[in-house]
Amino acid sequence: MSKPRKQIILGAYLAGVNHHTVWSDPAAGSQIAFSSFQHLAQTAERGKFDFFFLAEGLALRERFGAFLDTDVVGRPDTLPVLASLAAVTEHLGLVGTVNATFNEPYELARQLASLDHLSGGRAGWNVVTSLDTFTGRNFRRGGFLQAEDRYLRAEEFLDAARALWGSWPADAVPADRDRGRFLRDGQVGRFARHGSQFDIAGRFTVPRSPQGRPVILQAGVSPQGRDFAAAGADAIFSPYHSLPEAQEFYRDITARVAAAGRPPGSVRLLPAALFVLGDTAEDARERAREIARAQVTGRTAQILLEAVWNRDLSGYDPDGPLPDVEPDTDGPPAIEGRTTRHGDAHATVKAWRELAEANGYSLRELAIHLFARAEFVGTPTQVADRLDEFVQNDGSDGFILGSHLTPTGLDEFVDKVVPLLQERGSLRTEYEGTTLRANLGLPAIPEPAIPEPAIPEPAIPEPAISEPAIPEAAGPEPARR
């Protein structure tokens, strides 16, 4: 029996603070105006995408103590944006990244449950943690968490949020006019969680949301991160774009999901990816080269490499050879914020020098090779073929697609690639479900085990028997003083 064709899951993300966003392009729009978010979300919904995704930036990147003047800045907070998009979309899931290190379970669970209600069951939460003191400076908590504690806090946070979301049964609000009772009983919403990270107990105020709870996304590559995601996430961000590596990750996560006691099909794997289309394969490659050079200017290339060298590289020619100095591993960080971590700086620089020498790369060309390669480049047919092949062979369950151009970069994918995927039966032509969970094909959330309260029938009062009043004996009037 042949394997059934998988339906490709598609998400769309609006690029934030990173070098992929070409804000200097004359066609680029605002990163903060609501019209940009609305255009991208409605384009994704037109293409029958599963969800719209927003990352989170709690601190802007700094270079030697100053904001990077090459970065896009000023994007509004994630949750208000998603709540606003709920009013201008009907089917598209709305997924936001919110940090578990610098928030509290009651507050965030209430916000996400509210988003799920407002959107009719389309909310999702990408759970992330933070261990760096740089981001922590903006919060009273600071950077107190050690690396080994961040997953512990995230696990307790997610456990607490689930307890809050599960504290209301689906039938808790009968709004029974005949009996004059709005709530089933007054005991719903009780929760208590006591652990090393949280010691909370109270009453949750938001009734059960349309899909039971928001869809949970998580990214984790380390063994601890994989176990955390396999045990509690509904979807996992995969970092792999090579099919053999992606297939191995897929098999590993599938085994961990089973080991966690969850049924098959409980988790979806989704890598992020960039695409470039052209009328011919060569047109697409040439366009990809032009976009890469716009993404990684000479100045951007210097900054990307400064994160590893930990030195000021502005004196080096971007079109010349790599710096001949060694990394400064003892000084304070030159670049702080959203940067790629490379581990051993000396080993990384050694490998980069060998790569540059073997290929004749300049400083900028090396940065382009390392940081600006689109995963899917070709004609619409070629891109559709590669996406479909990757998913049908269990490299992933779909992709979260981004573009260098805000907010119109997704338009040509929806116009040119989506119809090809629909023709071969790999992508829906209409939304089947009413919630994000249903459209992702995830198992429904079971009803919480909350016992039905015993509500006694009102007692019928006995008829009153009137008895003669017996006057109190008159006594002496108390003395006045």
Side-chain angles (χ1 to χ4, degrees), residues 281-322:
E282 181 53 40
D283 287 342
R285 287 192 291 269
E286 179 57 32
R287 188 181 178 205
R289 285 190 288 268
E290 293 173 357
I291 291 172
R293 291 188 66 81
Q295 290 171 327
V296 182
T297 64
R299 171 76 169 149
T300 300
Q302 292 168 341
I303 292 171
L304 288 169
L305 269 59
E306 282 178 350
V308 175
W309 258 269
N310 202 38
R311 295 179 182 275
D312 182 353
L313 301 182
S314 59
Y316 289 86
D317 181 2
D319 295 317
L322 270 59

Side-chain angles (χ1 to χ4, degrees), residues 184-187 450-456:
R184 190 186 79 168
D185 70 280
Q187 301 306 312
I450 300 175
E452 180 73 27
I455 303 177

